[in-house]
Amino acid sequence: ESEENRVVATQLLGSLAPVVSAELCCQFVLPEVISLADDPVFRVRKVAALKLGGLTAAVGAELAQARLLSVYEALAADDIWGVRKACVESLPEIANALPVDVRAERLVPLLRSLYEDGSRWVRICACQALGPFLAALPSDAISPELLRLFTQLAAPANPARADAADSDIAYFCAFYLPGVAQAVGASRWPELAEAFRTLTTNMQWKVRRTLSCAMHELASILGSGLTESELVPTFDYFLKDLDEVKVGVVASIAPFLRALSPEARHK
């Protein structure tokens, strides 16, 4: 009963963090959650890990870095895989609440270790979190090696996906591709291009539809030159795809065309 009470208390405290004043959050919620994050019962630690994202945003970057980051790092190295998985799930929210330099220096190494975790469930979750995490980083913090971890998710033969075939990893790669492209900029499109082409021919129509719906976003990121050489052929290809896929490019045809040069638009 006491164990269950601590689990519920952690859930309630975490839910209170975003809605109470910053002063009350720092005075009452923060110390309690920090204490519960070190609870001997893994279920309590797991809930604490899940709630750290909202708490980090509520207390502000300075206090989060001083008081919560080390707690989060300890939970990410927990002996129980469920706790580590909960840390991956809260990673994007924590990254968005911390300064950019802290994301690069402290969270990138942490994500790498979780990406190679001994538990397949943690690895699958890390694959899913990779896109939104990269989208929260500046381009100079995203090394070619780190970007390759993301682009590998598009390839069916990728070893990281071999034990995650049932987890829709390619879908997550397609969904976050525009955000990652925005983060690294048009100049690094060659590093993403192969993954993009692989995703456009994915057997799952929902993967292709995800890209189809994002073509205008990619066009605004890449500019007219790259859009005409890299995206127009795929745009035409999607227009001949299943209706479920075609609807994406049809719905966004106006903003896509605006990204083209006047000459290409009239062709």
Side-chain angles (χ1 to χ4, degrees), residues 106-165:
R106 304 280 290 273
L107 296 185
V108 167
L110 187 146
L111 177 61
R112 286 178 182 275
S113 67
L114 292 168
Y115 190 89
E116 300 170 353
D117 195 88
S119 163
R120 77 182 286 259
W121 301 112
V122 176
R123 292 197 303 274
I124 290 171
C125 196
C127 289
Q128 295 171 350
L130 189 55
F133 177 71
L134 292 185
L137 293 174
S139 181
D140 60 3
I142 304 175
S143 67
E145 181 189 0
L146 190 59
L147 193 55
R148 275 196 299 275
L149 293 183
F150 175 75
T151 57
Q152 284 173 2
L153 304 180
N158 169 40
R161 290 193 63 229
D163 63 356

